[in-house]
Structure formats: C-alpha cells, structure tokens
Amino acid sequence: MTQFYRVLYCSRNFIPGSSDIVAAEVQSILDVSRRNNLRAGVTGGLLFSAGCFAQVLEGPMDAVEDAFERIQCDGRHSEVTVLQAGPIASRDFPDWSMAFAGTKGDGALAGVTLASAFSGQTSAGHGLLDMLKAVVVRETDWLAPMSEPAVSRH
Ligand SMILES: Cc1cc2nc3c(=O)[nH]c(=O)nc-3n(C[C@H](O)[C@H](O)[C@H](O)COP(=O)(O)O)c2cc1C
C-alpha cells in the first residue's frame, strides 16, 4: 500500500510592495510550485490571506520533505509554523499540483483561522485544513477579483 505524507503549515507573508507586485509574486510561486510538484508527485493547496500563507503538501514522504525544505528557506515568508506533519491514508487534495485561495469571500474568513493558528490554538490545524478544503479554488479563478476586470466572468 502506498504511504502518503502530509505537511500543513502557516507563515507570515514577507512580500513588500503594492497589491500588483504581491499578485505577480504569488503567481510566480504558483508557477514554480505547479512545475516542481507535478514532477515530484506532490499535491496540495496554498492559501494567501491577510498577510499570511497557509499551505498543505501531500505526497510521497521524501518528495514532501524535499519541497518543504526548499519552502522553509524562501525569503518571501517567515515564521513558518508546522501545524500537522505525518502519514495519511489518502490525499485530501488529489486533483491539482497546487491551487490557490485568494483574499476575498471565504478567503477573508480564513484570515481569522490563520490568526488562531499563529496563536497556538490546538484546534487550529484541523480548522485550517477544513478551511483550505473549502476555499481553495482553481488558480485561474483568483486573479479576477484581485485585478477587478471590467466584465465579471461569473
Ligand atoms: C508560500 C510559499 C509556498 C511555496 N510552495 C512551493 C511548492 O509547493 N513547491 C515548490 O516547489 N516550491 C514552492 N515554493 C517556492 C520555493 O520556496 C522555491 O522558491 C522553489 O521551490 C525553487 O524552485 P526551483 O529550484 O525550481 O527554482 C513556495 C514558496 C512560498 C513563499
């Protein structure tokens, strides 16, 4: 039986500049993540909200640990705080190499969950995982609300 591994963490976003610069930087993180994670068999979700990131990484243990090593060294965030790490029976995020939840709608609620995660509340890991499952959307959907297009796609 294949043994999968999961790491769930949150961190403080360390990207300076306007919202356009932040959006471009997050897009570049997503591009690199999609490429690397697809190759390594890692799936997951990335949440960016209220100055924080939360990310879940799932896949073969070596691949998840390699990715997480690189991520922890990245200067675009700080205070990387692990909320869950360990074996899992199956993936909760099987369908994409990395997805993204933005700052609007449910994403704003996620900021509250992230705040409790940083304050060390014991239920925060479960709450954050549930939140990620609920708000992570396909990354093509998140640019629209941030760049406020003239014509809504919905
Ligand atoms: C919040 C955050 C999440 C990231 N997630 C991933 C990821 O899931 N996979 C990945 O390969 N890199 C991720 N990165 C980027 C890595 O830190 C690193 O820049 C990248 O893996 C380098 O890849 P390269 O050697 O192919 O350029 C993330 C960075 C940040 C700030």
Side-chain angles (χ1 to χ4, degrees):
M1 195 180 86
T2 308
Q3 179 74 75
F4 291 114
Y5 192 75
R6 172 191 293 148
V7 170
L8 171 69
Y9 74 86
C10 57
S11 62
R12 305 258 184 221
N13 161 22
F14 221 64
I15 306 170
S18 68
S19 61
D20 283 353
I21 292 173
V22 173
E25 202 61 59
V26 172
Q27 185 63 61
S28 120
I29 290 170
L30 289 171
D31 290 345
V32 170
S33 302
R34 191 203 291 113
R35 189 187 64 222
N36 289 343
N37 296 355
L38 193 62
R39 196 188 305 134
V42 172
T43 57
L46 176 66
L47 174 70
F48 170 65
S49 182
C52 299
F53 289 111
Q55 187 174 28
V56 57
L57 298 164
E58 297 178 344
M61 185 169 163
D62 287 355
V64 170
E65 287 188 339
D66 283 354
F68 190 49
E69 279 290 316
R70 290 196 310 275
I71 293 166
Q72 283 183 89
C73 298
D74 198 308
R76 290 170 290 189
H77 61 170
S78 64
E79 290 182 56
V80 176
T81 305
V82 176
L83 300 169
Q84 281 184 16
I88 50 171
S90 61
R91 298 179 196 247
D92 279 331
F93 296 82
D95 295 333
W96 53 79
S97 56
M98 188 57 48
F100 179 83
T103 55
K104 301 289 165 80
D106 287 342
L109 184 58
V112 177
T113 308
L114 278 171
S116 65
F118 276 116
S119 70
Q121 289 180 19
T122 49
S123 62
H126 288 303
L128 193 54
L129 195 62
D130 288 344
M131 178 64 70
L132 274 162
K133 282 185 218 165
V135 303
V136 165
V137 295
R138 291 197 176 278
E139 58 195 77
T140 46
D141 289 341
W142 74 271
L143 279 172
M146 284 187 88
S147 58
E148 294 177 343
V151 179
S152 169
R153 287 188 284 155
H154 299 288

